[in-house]
């Protein structure tokens, strides 16, 4: 079977639309992040207490909220996974999980209420982690830039890293927009997504490099767009097939692993894979095309 | 032909080793609770040791990060306070009997404790944060000790009806430093024997076995064993001060050696004078948190409340003991800065759901490849399954821990695993379309795709290595899986697939590739 044979989509020729889409998405993500006051940092980062409880028969979310606030506890309450399962977040890490459990049990003696997970993180740990996360991501990106620079050329390196920022920002924007929590596994997800996105960009870059070589040293200016476009098109079927095979298991997690922490992890990766595929097809080659043209113009002048 | 044969041999060899490595994992996790009860604990613990480690988020348990509050210590005492706290905490957890706890110090001087299967949060907190218990206990004389060991072995003889495959107490005891000891690796056997009710019955009333600190000897790590009175003669509550110094007394055997001087308060001094006076010639064990620190022989009645603890200390050990005694406990208060408990049911749920997602994802990818690339898809599927086996085997071999994010990494690797094959297949298709013969299309396809695969995987590897090197906890686990995945991926896609393709075009000499 061949779904994507001899594709001749004029991607590079229409790059101004792609730029437009990307800029809009990036701006929207920035707006989301500003409005929401940054990513929705979980206990891992801002410190505090997180409890996951299960109530059978299921309590309503309002019941849990009002019971806690009646006893003077300010908690963010969220449903999680299946019915009757809740995540409670407290800003203070001084609260004892057993006490909270007792409050709920005595308010609803006819329910079976059990503690599934308790996480307490002191504020100093959170600060340290945030710093570590940002450093990790930047180090990863820098090393990749250096590698691409060394193996391909500087322009591809820069364009790929721009695409990485683009992908990360948009994935984070959508993730935050959906109200999902930013935790330690989220960083792992973002780093994976960076790895995935760069993987895609490299395959395209590789093909374009191969095409450029065929032209020797002098590449006719009017051929540039064509060369880049055919490079992108020839790798298009691979890019789409691989994205699909990566998305299959991710979607399987989204469907079958609700209520576990890998769900959020899979969610950000799913968003990331889609954005990453788009950017490696549309953004990276477009930037390098324009950069190439600009340098050629300069050399001419 | 020959080269294909040898390459296939390499793959089969690697596969064989992998399956052999994975066997205990498969065996251990497929056992039902009932079956586990029927197996000997020795066999089970051996099996578990060779099986894949599950993170706390998957098997349930407690994870704690502790910080030692050094604000009240002098600069000198603050040095190494974490090590001492670590030692004491390790001791206590050992006593508690948690299986395979992980207790380690981080670079920032924090202490990380992982207690798999432990859900009694409050008890764990209390155990770790409480003040250490210092006791002085009389050691049973040599005759009583020998008689007790003999009695125990007699009991064992009866229980096991002369079964020579079973271990007897005398089999594991080693004469050690004037007393007896047990190899560190056999401490659990000793404990098991002691805990048999019939054995308990022949231990003299009011006595118990206690372990000393692990000591490095030419014969390996050994823990001394003492038979001591349960009831302490004296406890640390009456201790006023303790300091380390150099021995100045008459005994030439200890000349110039570090010792610890202790000083009791008035009440303690009276008791101590009585205890020493009426037990001259006996050993008095100094016990901290149920571990014997040293057991000097009482040489004379000590009326002043001053005593010295001798032992084969280094100056640092003497210093350490003095500080521990003085503080009566942990060198400084301990603060829990991070704590995570995952219930066993949640962990089980995560595994079940994760496994389900993994299998379904795997099946979809396998079917998709089969439909899209036909016979070649089958080759990719084979590579994919080998990949999953290799990754798990390497994880077991490296004693890596599978965490929830690691599991996600594994699932994701499945999707990305076929990428290299997709790249190769697309190239081969292009070559075929250009009119090349199957053989040259395969060769050219592989050659061209290999460079791309190399570059693409290497950059992903950079991200994975950053996670592995700098990440903590679950992030590191994820980095491990991803790194192993990329490497294994490379091997299966380029090496394994190529063998099959070579076989098809060189040996079978197919006219048309099913791709």
């Amino acid at each position: 079977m061949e779904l994507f044979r001899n594709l001749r989509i004029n991607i590079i020729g229409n790059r101004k639309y792609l730029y437009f889409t990307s800029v809009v998405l990036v701006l929207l993500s920035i707006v989301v992040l500003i409005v929401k006051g940054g990513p929705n940092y979980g206990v891992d980062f801002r410190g505090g207490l997180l409890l996951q409880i299960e109530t059978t028969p299921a309590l309503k979310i309002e019941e849990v909220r009002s019971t806690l606030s009646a006893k003077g506890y300010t908690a963010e309450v969220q449903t999680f996974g299946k019915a009757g399962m809740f995540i409670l977040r407290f800003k203070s890490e001084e609260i004892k999980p057993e006490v909270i459990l007792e409050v709920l049990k005595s308010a609803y003696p006819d329910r079976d209420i059990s503690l599934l997970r308790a996480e307490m993180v002191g504020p100093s740990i959170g600060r340290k982690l945030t710093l570590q996360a940002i450093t990790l991501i930047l180090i990863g990106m820098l090393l990749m830039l250096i590698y691409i620079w060394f193996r391909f050329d500087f322009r591809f390196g820069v364009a790929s890293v721009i695409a990485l920022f683009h992908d990360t920002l948009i994935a984070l924007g959508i993730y935050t927009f959906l109200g999902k929590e930013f935790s330690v596994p989220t960083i792992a997800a973002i780093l994976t997504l960076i790895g995935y996105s760069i993987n895609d960009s490299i395959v395209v870059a590789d093909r374009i490099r191969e095409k450029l070589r065929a032209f020797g040293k002098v590449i006719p200016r009017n051929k540039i767009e064509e060369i880049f476009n055919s490079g992108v098109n020839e790798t298009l079927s691979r890019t789409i097939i691989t994205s699909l095979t990566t998305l299959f298991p991710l979607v399987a997690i989204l469907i079958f692993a609700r209520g576990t922490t890998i769900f959020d992890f899979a969610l950000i990766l799913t968003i990331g894979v889609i954005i990453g595929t788009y950017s490696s097809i549309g953004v990276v080659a477009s930037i390098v095309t324009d950069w190439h043209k600009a340098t050629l113009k300069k050399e001419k002048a | 032909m020959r080269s294909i044969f040898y390459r296939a041999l390499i793959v089969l060899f690697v596969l064989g080793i992998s399956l052999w490595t994975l066997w205990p994992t498969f065996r251990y996790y497929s056992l039902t609770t009932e079956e586990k009860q029927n197996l000997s604990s020795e066999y089970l613990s051996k099996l578990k040791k060779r099986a894949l480690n599950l993170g706390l988020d998957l098997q349930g348990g407690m994870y704690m990060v502790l910080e030692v509050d050094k604000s009240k210590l002098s600069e000198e005492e603050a040095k190494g306070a974490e090590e001492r706290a670590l030692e004491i905490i390790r001791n206590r957890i050992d006593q508690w009997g948690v299986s395979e706890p992980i207790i380690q110090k981080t670079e920032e001087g924090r202490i990380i404790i992982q207690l798999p299967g432990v859900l009694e949060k409050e008890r764990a907190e209390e155990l770790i944060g409480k003040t250490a218990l210092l006791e002085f206990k009389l050691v049973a004389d040599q005759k009583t000790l020998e008689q007790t060991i003999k009695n125990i072995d007699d009991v064992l003889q009866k229980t096991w009806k002369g079964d020579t495959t079973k271990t007897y107490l005398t089999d594991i005891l080693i004469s050690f430093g004037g007393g007896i000891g047990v190899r560190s690796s056999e401490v659990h056997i000793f404990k098991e024997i002691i805990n048999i009710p019939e054995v308990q019955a022949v231990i003299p009333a009011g006595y118990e076995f206690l372990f000393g600190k692990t000591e490095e000897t030419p014969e390996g790590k050994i823990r001394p064993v003492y038979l001591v009175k349960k009831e302490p003669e004296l406890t640390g509550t009456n201790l006023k001060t303790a300091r380390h110094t150099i021995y100045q007394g008459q005994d030439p055997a200890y000349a110039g050696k570090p010792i610890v001087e202790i000083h009791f308060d008035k009440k303690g001094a009276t008791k101590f004078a009585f205890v020493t006076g009426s037990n001259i010639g006996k050993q008095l064990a100094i016990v901290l948190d149920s571990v014997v620190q040293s057991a000097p022989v009482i040489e004379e009645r000590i009326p002043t409340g001053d005593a010295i603890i001798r032992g084969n200390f280094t100056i640092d050990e003497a210093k350490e003991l003095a500080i521990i005694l003085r503080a009566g406990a942990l060198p400084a208060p301990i603060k829990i800065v991070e704590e995570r408990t995952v219930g066993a049911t949640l962990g089980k749920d995560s595994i079940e759901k994760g496994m389900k997602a993994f299998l379904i994802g795997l099946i979809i990818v396998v079917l998709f490849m089969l439909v899209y690339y036909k016979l070649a898809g089958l080759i990719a599927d084979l590579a994919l399954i080998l990949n999953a086996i290799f990754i798990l085997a390497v994880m077991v071999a490296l004693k890596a821990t599978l965490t929830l994010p690691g599991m996600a990494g594994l699932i994701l690797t499945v999707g990305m695993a076929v990428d290299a094959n997709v790249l190769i297949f697309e190239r081969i298709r292009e070559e075929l379309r250009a009119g090349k013969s199957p053989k040259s299309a395969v060769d050219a396809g592989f050659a061209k795709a290999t460079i791309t695969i190399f570059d693409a995987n290497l950059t992903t590897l950079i991200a994975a290595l950053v996670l592995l090197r700098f990440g903590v906890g679950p992030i590191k686990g994820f980095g491990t899986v991803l790194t192993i995945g990329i490497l294994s991926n490379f091997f299966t896609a380029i090496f394994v697939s190529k063998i099959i393709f070579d076989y098809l075009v060189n040996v079978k000499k197919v006219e048309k590739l099913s791709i």
Side-chain angles (χ1 to χ4, degrees):
Chain A
M1 187 162 68
E2 272 192 83
L3 294 175
F4 314 101
R5 187 171 177 169
N6 292 329
L7 289 172
R8 283 275 166 268
I9 305 169
N10 192 4
I11 294 169
I12 300 297
N14 287 308
R15 61 185 181 280
K16 54 177 189 264
Y17 300 109
L18 298 174
Y19 285 145
F20 178 75
T21 316
S22 285
V23 168
V24 168
L25 284 174
V26 167
L27 286 179
L28 276 177
S29 296
I30 293 175
V31 169
V32 167
L33 288 171
I34 289 173
V35 170
K36 295 241 179 186
N40 181 12
Y41 286 118
V43 178
D44 286 344
F45 292 97
R46 60 167 200 218
L49 178 73
L50 176 147
L51 303 181
Q52 186 177 347
I53 57 165
E54 193 178 355
T55 58
T56 35
L59 283 173
K60 286 201 188 81
I61 189 163
E62 301 82 43
E63 293 175 303
V64 178
R65 260 194 207 120
S66 62
T67 312
L68 288 177
S69 67
K71 290 277 177 187
Y73 292 106
T74 14
E76 269 174 53
V77 184
Q78 248 177 24
T79 50
F80 188 77
K82 60 180 174 191
M85 194 119 86
F86 299 99
I87 293 270
L88 315 177
R89 282 191 197 82
F90 300 87
K91 285 228 166 72
S92 155
E93 69 270 20
E94 304 288 330
I95 297 165
K96 289 261 158 214
E98 300 79 28
V99 177
I100 299 297
L101 209 59
E102 209 36 62
V103 165
L104 288 169
K105 275 183 181 166
S106 56
Y108 301 98
D110 55 327
R111 314 284 169 115
D112 189 15
I113 299 171
S114 55
L115 183 64
L116 300 180
R117 175 160 69 113
E119 293 185 10
M120 184 281 280
V121 180
S124 67
I125 297 251
R127 264 197 298 280
K128 225 170 217 166
L129 263 177
T130 317
L131 209 66
Q132 201 199 24
I134 295 171
T135 327
L136 276 184
I137 290 175
L138 291 180
I139 290 176
M141 285 193 183
L142 185 71
L143 290 176
M144 287 187 216
L145 172 68
I146 294 170
Y147 181 78
I148 301 170
W149 184 0
F150 170 72
R151 285 286 295 165
F152 294 84
D153 83 33
F154 185 60
R155 286 171 286 212
F156 262 116
V158 173
S160 304
V161 171
I162 291 175
L164 288 185
F165 274 109
H166 165 271
D167 299 348
T168 314
L169 207 59
I170 295 174
L172 201 58
I174 299 177
Y175 189 74
T176 308
F177 179 74
L178 293 174
K180 291 291 173 183
E181 185 176 284
F182 192 87
S183 62
V184 175
T186 316
I187 296 176
I190 288 181
L191 270 153
T192 316
L193 137 70
I194 288 174
Y196 182 85
S197 157
I198 201 108
N199 199 323
D200 257 2
S201 304
I202 292 221
V203 174
V204 178
D206 200 65
R207 185 59 74 105
I208 294 171
R209 177 176 60 178
E210 197 183 306
K211 298 222 148 261
L212 288 176
R213 267 197 200 131
F215 278 89
K217 280 214 163 130
V218 199
I219 300 152
R221 203 176 122 69
N222 56 357
K223 288 269 185 187
I224 290 214
E225 281 189 31
E226 199 189 308
I227 296 167
F228 275 71
N229 200 45
S230 65
V232 173
N233 270 289
E234 281 166 24
T235 48
L236 201 55
S237 75
R238 170 266 159 197
T239 308
I240 295 169
I241 297 291
T242 298
S243 297
L244 278 178
T245 58
T246 310
L247 284 174
F248 290 146
L250 284 176
V251 173
I253 301 180
L254 291 182
I255 294 172
F256 298 103
R258 250 172 298 167
T260 65
T261 21
I262 22 177
F263 180 87
D264 285 2
F265 189 90
L267 181 68
I268 194 164
L269 277 177
T270 307
I271 303 168
V273 166
I274 295 169
I275 302 288
T277 305
Y278 155 78
S279 77
S280 60
I281 295 173
V283 179
V284 179
S286 299
I287 293 175
V288 184
T289 308
D290 282 324
W291 197 336
H292 244 288
K293 285 180 116 176
T295 21
L296 281 182
K297 206 182 277 172
K298 224 189 277 166
E299 274 162 18
K300 226 177 176 181
Chain B
M1 175 65 206
R2 279 185 62 163
S3 109
I4 296 176
F5 176 74
Y6 287 123
R7 280 183 290 159
L9 218 56
I10 293 176
V11 175
L12 285 178
F13 180 68
V14 176
L15 180 65
I17 290 183
S18 301
L19 290 175
W20 179 75
T21 313
L22 281 178
W23 163 245
T25 306
F26 175 73
R27 176 99 179 95
Y28 184 78
Y29 289 108
S30 61
L31 285 174
T32 60
T33 341
E34 211 171 284
E35 285 172 317
K36 275 184 193 169
Q37 276 165 353
N38 291 333
L39 289 164
S40 81
S41 61
E42 222 170 303
Y43 175 74
L44 263 183
S45 77
K46 218 187 241 166
L47 203 59
K48 184 156 190 239
K49 226 173 241 163
R50 291 179 53 204
L52 181 63
N53 244 334
L54 293 183
L56 288 182
D57 49 358
L58 288 179
Q59 62 169 320
M62 258 186 100
Y63 169 95
M64 277 191 267
V65 181
L66 310 174
E67 220 169 48
V68 181
D69 177 7
K70 289 184 285 197
S71 57
K72 283 180 194 127
L73 297 182
S74 72
E75 206 170 299
E76 195 202 347
E77 288 171 344
K79 254 186 264 163
E82 285 90 6
E83 275 85 6
R84 290 196 301 277
L86 196 71
E87 188 62 30
I88 293 173
I89 290 169
R90 180 169 294 144
N91 218 335
R92 292 175 177 182
I93 291 172
D94 274 354
Q95 306 275 322
W96 194 20
V98 176
S99 72
E100 289 175 53
I102 297 170
I103 303 156
Q104 56 198 171
K105 218 186 77 175
T106 68
E107 277 163 35
E108 302 99 19
R110 290 201 172 96
I111 297 171
I112 293 179
I113 303 176
Q114 294 184 43
L115 307 174
V118 172
L119 301 168
E120 302 149 276
K121 212 166 135 296
E122 274 171 291
R123 233 188 108 193
E125 276 173 24
E126 190 198 342
L127 189 80
I128 286 154
K130 77 160 194 221
T131 325
L133 187 61
L134 173 68
E135 295 163 308
F136 295 84
K137 292 180 169 181
L138 278 174
V139 179
D141 57 38
Q142 194 64 25
K143 228 180 92 193
T144 318
L145 178 67
E146 278 167 17
Q147 189 60 46
T148 309
I149 293 171
K150 195 181 165 300
N151 289 347
I152 291 177
D153 269 356
D154 286 346
V155 169
L156 293 179
Q157 189 92 34
K158 249 180 257 163
T159 353
W160 292 332
K161 300 195 178 71
D163 184 350
T164 47
T165 59
K166 297 285 187 182
T167 317
Y168 293 93
L169 202 52
T170 37
D171 295 343
I172 56 168
L173 288 178
I174 298 165
S175 133
F176 177 71
I180 51 167
V182 183
R183 279 181 210 287
S184 288
S185 57
E186 292 176 335
V187 162
H188 69 279
I189 306 177
F190 185 91
K191 284 185 178 167
E192 267 170 44
I193 292 177
I194 295 302
N195 284 330
I196 299 172
E198 290 82 7
V199 170
Q200 281 288 328
V202 294
I203 295 175
Y207 280 88
E208 63 179 347
F209 279 104
L210 285 184
F211 290 102
K213 289 194 292 187
T214 308
E215 287 183 38
E216 293 278 356
T217 72
E219 291 174 62
K221 288 182 179 172
I222 291 179
R223 290 194 79 169
V225 174
Y226 300 89
L227 182 63
V228 299
K229 274 195 174 169
K230 267 186 194 160
E231 197 60 40
E233 306 301 317
L234 221 67
T235 66
T237 40
N238 298 116
L239 192 77
K240 219 159 120 187
T241 57
R243 65 186 196 97
H244 70 280
T245 178
I246 300 292
Y247 183 69
Q248 305 285 356
Q250 308 297 319
D251 190 342
Y254 286 95
K257 288 200 171 161
I259 51 161
V260 178
E261 282 183 359
I262 52 180
H263 186 69
F264 288 102
D265 61 14
K266 220 175 145 196
K267 207 172 147 199
T270 319
K271 272 196 206 166
F272 196 58
F274 176 74
V275 172
T276 50
S278 50
N279 292 293
I280 292 171
K282 288 188 184 167
Q283 273 179 291
L284 186 66
I286 298 160
V287 185
L288 188 74
D289 273 336
S290 295
V291 173
V292 176
Q293 299 293 317
S294 75
V297 175
I298 302 169
E299 277 157 6
E300 53 185 2
R301 177 172 177 271
I302 304 169
T304 53
D306 293 318
I308 56 171
I309 304 172
R310 307 192 301 203
N312 280 320
F313 299 131
T314 63
I315 189 87
D316 284 333
E317 283 166 349
K319 198 199 277 177
E320 201 171 293
L321 184 58
I323 293 172
I324 292 175
L325 291 177
R326 200 161 53 226
L330 292 165
I334 280 182
K335 214 171 78 190
I336 300 174
V337 284
E338 191 181 338
E339 186 182 304
R340 291 161 202 268
T341 324
V342 177
T345 49
L346 190 63
K348 213 174 131 223
D349 197 37
S350 300
I351 293 188
E352 273 167 13
K353 286 180 174 167
M355 275 309 284
K356 194 171 171 189
F358 174 75
L359 288 176
I360 291 172
L362 188 74
I363 291 170
I364 300 175
V365 174
V366 164
L367 288 179
F368 177 82
M369 291 300 284
L370 213 51
V371 171
Y372 200 77
Y373 291 111
K374 288 171 261 177
L375 181 65
L378 190 66
I379 298 172
D381 288 342
L382 183 77
L384 172 64
I385 289 159
L386 286 180
N387 217 336
I389 294 173
F390 292 158
I391 295 172
L392 284 173
V394 174
M395 286 190 71
V396 173
L398 290 180
K399 298 209 171 305
T401 304
L402 184 67
T403 57
L404 206 51
M407 203 159 173
L410 200 63
I411 297 173
L412 185 68
T413 317
V414 167
M416 290 169 73
V418 292
D419 178 49
N421 275 309
V422 171
L423 272 165
I424 295 167
F425 295 170
E426 292 291 319
R427 281 288 190 169
I428 294 180
R429 278 181 172 181
E430 276 174 47
E431 301 294 333
L432 287 173
R433 242 178 269 145
K436 286 195 180 170
S437 73
K439 183 171 160 36
S440 48
V442 165
D443 286 341
F446 267 94
K448 284 182 176 166
T450 305
I451 312 164
T452 318
I453 295 169
F454 184 79
D455 279 327
N457 278 310
L458 208 76
T459 32
T460 315
L461 191 63
I462 291 174
L465 288 177
V466 170
L467 289 179
L468 190 64
R469 172 66 186 82
F470 301 104
V472 286
I475 294 203
K476 199 173 181 159
F478 181 70
T480 315
V481 178
L482 204 61
T483 307
I484 300 170
I486 292 165
L487 296 176
S488 153
N489 201 342
F490 206 75
F491 175 71
T492 51
I494 292 181
F495 195 75
V496 179
S497 309
K498 184 79 186 344
I499 298 175
I500 303 171
F501 272 109
D502 280 353
Y503 176 75
L504 287 177
V505 296
N506 289 328
V507 181
K508 285 283 221 178
K509 301 203 190 310
V510 289
E511 305 263 309
K512 199 172 167 291
L513 274 178
S514 168
I515 188 165

